[in-house]
Amino acid sequence: MSAFFKLCLLIGAVRAFDSVTNATTDAKNSEICLALYRKSLKSKDMDHDGTHFDGQYPHVFIILGASGDLARKKIYPTLWWLYRDNLLPAKTFFFGYARSKTSIEEIKTKCEPYMKVKPNEASRYQEFWTLNHYLSGQYNNRTDFEKLNQEISQFEKGPIANRLFYLALPPSVFEDVTIHIKNTSMAPKGWTRIIIEKPFGRDFDSSQKLSDHLATLFSETQIYRIDHYLGKEMVQNLMTLRFGNRIFGPTWNRDNIASIQISFKEPFGTQGRGGYFDEFGIIRDIMQNHLLQILTLVAMEKPATCHPDDIRNEKVKVLKSIKPLELNDVVLGQYVGDPQKEGEAKLGYLDDPTVPKDSITPTYALSVLRINNERWDGVPFILKCGKALNERKAEVRIQFEDVPGDIFDGKPKRNELVIRVQPGEALYVKLMVKTPGMAFDMEETELDLTYGSRYSHVKLPDAYERLILDVFCGSQMHFVRADELSEAWRIFTPLLHQIEQERVKPIPYTYGSRGPKEADELLLNNNFTYTGSYKWYKPSL
């Protein structure tokens, strides 16, 4: 069970204990919750698999690529929030390493727009930066890493000291960096853990090469392949929803579910950063990792326990049951500008000066996967993602079969269970009810759990907060294992190679639209119906 799953339970308990809504009480409840959680982090009884940390020993968190965008926008802010809330071991130090000739003061200045520091936190914030240090060095130079090791060692007093390395780096330097970490910078008197950011390769062969390389240096228990979608509240909620509620179990199968759609939509384009995106495309960037990981959580069987490996074993079984994706089960699109709009919406993907003018890289993809097992045989799993669409949304939409023996002349619409990942976390069930009033008619409505309403006094932690704290605690539940990664690339690699070798041209779609019309046809052919008649009303706080 992940660290922050415990925190969510504690938040619920605190909220039930005191529902008074003034700001003072909110702060008090938050502090009570955090105090309980801090205590649990230090307890060996926190999880049955023993994930916790011992705060009496030094921990050094090393950010490789400390001068980059990821460090500035995500890693340093996350470490600050965890430090601010006293969720890290007391003796934690932070070390930045990069090629840039910079300093902690300069890094601090660049990070400030993302740190979300409140006025009453100023002294605590300054205290955080006094624990930060920086060393400039090359990624392919053993001597520089030896210097890094000497610098880190100064903060490792006592019989035990642990190290966490975050590789916020391009894949091109992974091999050199990991070799130097292994040869010069492993914790001499504690554990060492390595956090690796995607992309984990470009296809099956490159990913396998990376995994094989890492396996020669570190054990799988030392490697944390981070996919930030696995840290999101509603993604982590999938296990509790499925296996903690009797109501869903009997219908979670091919006899009752018509289709399942997992989607990710962004209302903006590449915004002048298409050069990076063009190297990977929407399938590698979103579908092969984020959406496929969600699919495994939706489709897997109940694990024997909440131990990370029991959960990941079930996820791998799902992936092994999926055949490689074929082109006729895919719709690819590339957005074009809308001449009637202003600003970025007027420009298409190919208008981005950083994108090659003949690029065939898809900015939209819809694919249909099928799981060949007893539970899901015949149920299409539809993965959909795209840029420059009509809204920002990530969700899981489980559409149930039509009601047999209809006595209402075709008026009932399909029931749907919707798990909204972002924005505005929510869980709701679409169902038919009698229209209020004298007439005997019917309409669509919902049973709605919108987190912003039900949990209005709870600040949900950022995905990176959950995941980085899980690394401190040693919980790998929400990290990608090597065999998961291998199976994911097996499914997508033939398609990706075919697109590139045959130069499959994506279908143009207008900036701000729902995507290519051909995608709607593929949905209809795979037992997913879209009526457009349902209207969701945001609940009042």
Side-chain angles (χ1 to χ4, degrees):
M1 191 176 296
S2 79
F4 262 107
F5 179 74
K6 292 280 188 177
L7 179 56
C8 292
L9 294 178
L10 292 167
I11 287 172
V14 170
R15 190 177 185 279
F17 172 72
D18 190 348
S19 61
V20 181
T21 60
N22 63 64
T24 302
T25 302
D26 291 346
K28 178 182 176 183
N29 285 351
S30 177
E31 183 52 39
I32 292 172
C33 179
L34 287 170
L36 289 169
Y37 188 58
R38 290 179 205 119
K39 183 178 179 181
S40 74
L41 282 171
K42 299 172 185 177
S43 169
K44 293 186 178 181
D45 297 326
M46 176 185 159
D47 287 319
H48 72 269
D49 61 336
T51 53
H52 68 288
F53 59 69
D54 195 329
Q56 66 178 306
Y57 299 121
H59 291 69
V60 183
F61 193 100
I62 303 102
I63 306 167
L64 299 169
S67 61
D69 277 357
L70 180 62
R72 178 171 71 250
K73 295 177 180 179
K74 286 294 183 183
I75 303 173
Y76 277 111
T78 299
L79 293 172
W80 151 239
W81 299 329
L82 292 172
Y83 177 79
R84 174 198 63 195
D85 293 334
N86 288 314
L87 293 175
L88 297 178
K91 298 177 183 178
T92 299
F93 303 91
F94 311 98
F95 238 97
Y97 182 93
R99 289 177 292 210
S100 304
K101 300 291 185 181
T102 187
S103 66
I104 280 297
E105 279 303 315
E106 291 177 352
I107 290 174
K108 176 185 174 184
T109 301
K110 291 178 180 179
C111 290
E112 278 178 357
Y114 310 99
M115 303 297 271
K116 302 177 184 177
V117 183
K118 296 176 182 178
N120 64 339
E121 297 168 347
S123 61
R124 182 76 171 160
Y125 183 63
Q126 295 304 320
E127 188 179 275
F128 167 74
W129 283 107
T130 63
L131 299 172
N132 276 268
H133 308 271
Y134 180 80
L135 180 68
S136 174
Q138 298 299 309
Y139 296 129
N140 59 355
N141 189 313
R142 178 185 174 115
T143 302
D144 287 346
F145 275 85
E146 289 172 345
K147 291 178 183 176
L148 175 64
N149 181 61
Q150 291 169 6
E151 293 288 334
I152 294 171
S153 299
Q154 298 177 43
F155 302 93
E156 297 180 321
K157 309 300 182 184
I160 295 176
N162 304 311
R163 296 182 183 180
L164 303 85
F165 288 87
Y166 199 123
L167 274 61
L169 299 167
S172 58
V173 299
F174 273 14
E175 188 168 329
D176 285 337
V177 167
T178 49
I179 288 173
H180 290 316
I181 290 174
K182 178 65 176 180
N183 291 337
T184 70
S185 305
M186 299 292 282
K189 48 185 180 180
W191 49 251
T192 301
R193 293 170 184 162
I194 314 293
I195 307 171
I196 300 176
E197 273 278 355
K198 76 176 184 73
F200 311 120
R202 284 183 49 83
D203 55 15
F204 181 88
D205 288 341
S206 59
S207 175
Q208 196 62 48
K209 180 183 177 183
L210 175 60
S211 291
D212 291 344
H213 167 74
L214 292 173
T216 64
L217 303 173
F218 313 108
S219 68
E220 186 64 31
T221 58
Q222 293 176 303
I223 301 170
Y224 290 73
R225 298 174 188 85
I226 194 168
D227 182 335
H228 76 275
Y229 251 66
L230 293 178
K232 290 188 176 291
E233 178 71 28
M234 298 310 293
V235 174
Q236 294 200 349
N237 203 12
L238 277 166
M239 272 195 51
T240 306
L241 177 69
R242 286 198 55 197
F243 305 124
N245 295 287
R246 173 66 177 168
I247 190 172
F248 297 118
T251 59
W252 211 270
N253 53 51
R254 64 190 299 269
D255 297 325
N256 297 283
I257 293 176
S259 57
I260 296 176
Q261 181 177 264
I262 304 169
S263 59
F264 173 95
K265 302 169 72 175
E266 289 181 328
F268 50 83
T270 53
Q271 300 177 324
R273 295 189 294 272
Y276 170 81
F277 179 85
D278 200 74
E279 185 181 351
F280 297 98
I282 199 72
I283 295 176
R284 289 184 175 97
D285 194 40
I286 302 295
M287 186 176 287
Q288 181 272 342
N289 39 72
H290 300 333
L291 300 192
L292 194 63
Q293 282 291 322
I294 294 175
L295 180 151
T296 61
L297 292 169
V298 172
M300 73 181 191
E301 298 298 318
K302 182 187 287 188
T305 71
C306 286
H307 189 281
D309 275 336
D310 286 339
I311 294 168
R312 296 194 291 182
N313 288 344
E314 296 301 333
K315 290 168 69 178
V316 170
K317 287 179 186 177
V318 171
L319 295 174
K320 285 184 174 180
S321 300
I322 300 175
K323 293 181 179 179
L325 200 53
E326 297 182 359
L327 191 59
N328 58 3
D329 283 324
V330 177
V331 171
L332 303 174
Q334 188 183 86
Y335 70 88
V336 296
D338 185 344
Q340 298 180 355
K341 298 286 180 64
E342 296 296 329
E344 189 196 358
K346 198 171 184 176
L347 303 175
Y349 179 67
L350 297 181
D351 295 320
D352 185 329
T354 65
V355 173
K357 295 306 177 185
D358 61 345
S359 173
I360 58 163
T361 299
T363 61
Y364 174 98
L366 184 146
S367 64
V368 181
L369 286 76
R370 294 175 177 85
I371 300 172
N372 185 30
N373 65 19
E374 186 175 5
R375 181 182 294 273
W376 297 115
D377 186 26
V379 178
F381 280 75
I382 301 156
L383 306 186
K384 179 173 71 175
C385 52
K387 288 183 171 293
L389 296 174
N390 60 327
E391 60 184 334
R392 175 176 177 253
K393 182 170 68 175
E395 68 177 19
V396 180
R397 188 170 293 267
I398 297 163
Q399 193 168 94
F400 290 86
E401 294 280 4
D402 296 314
V403 175
D406 175 29
I407 62 173
F408 298 106
D409 301 322
K411 292 180 181 177
K413 307 291 175 56
R414 282 181 170 178
N415 298 141
E416 289 185 350
L417 170 63
V418 182
I419 302 154
R420 193 186 310 130
V421 177
Q422 68 179 30
E425 294 89 342
L427 171 69
Y428 63 95
V429 180
K430 288 171 55 178
L431 72 168
M432 305 303 298
V433 298
K434 175 188 170 297
T435 302
M438 297 291 286
F440 190 76
D441 205 350
M442 61 173 56
E443 65 179 43
E444 290 176 281
T445 186
E446 71 284 325
L447 298 175
D448 188 3
L449 170 59
T450 297
Y451 272 51
S453 175
R454 177 66 175 85
Y455 300 111
S456 59
H457 313 303
V458 175
K459 178 192 173 295
L460 297 178
D462 178 82
Y464 276 89
E465 284 185 85
R466 303 170 192 265
L467 295 175
I468 287 179
L469 189 55
D470 276 349
V471 181
F472 273 93
C473 293
S475 174
Q476 293 185 302
M477 179 189 298
H478 302 297
F479 293 85
V480 182
R481 202 168 64 186
D483 52 351
E484 281 185 79
L485 187 60
S486 177
E487 290 297 330
W489 279 118
R490 176 190 60 79
I491 294 166
F492 280 93
T493 292
L495 171 71
L496 291 166
H497 285 178
Q498 183 178 0
I499 292 170
E500 291 162 356
Q501 291 166 8
E502 298 179 11
R503 291 193 60 80
V504 177
K505 192 173 181 179
I507 301 165
Y509 65 94
T510 305
Y511 194 117
S513 67
R514 294 182 59 247
K517 294 180 180 178
E518 289 81 352
D520 290 334
E521 296 173 12
L522 188 59
L523 285 173
L524 191 61
N525 293 335
N526 283 279
N527 209 11
F528 185 90
T529 62
Y530 174 76
T531 63
S533 60
Y534 170 75
K535 293 182 179 179
W536 179 77
Y537 297 95
K538 185 177 180 179
S540 58
L541 296 178

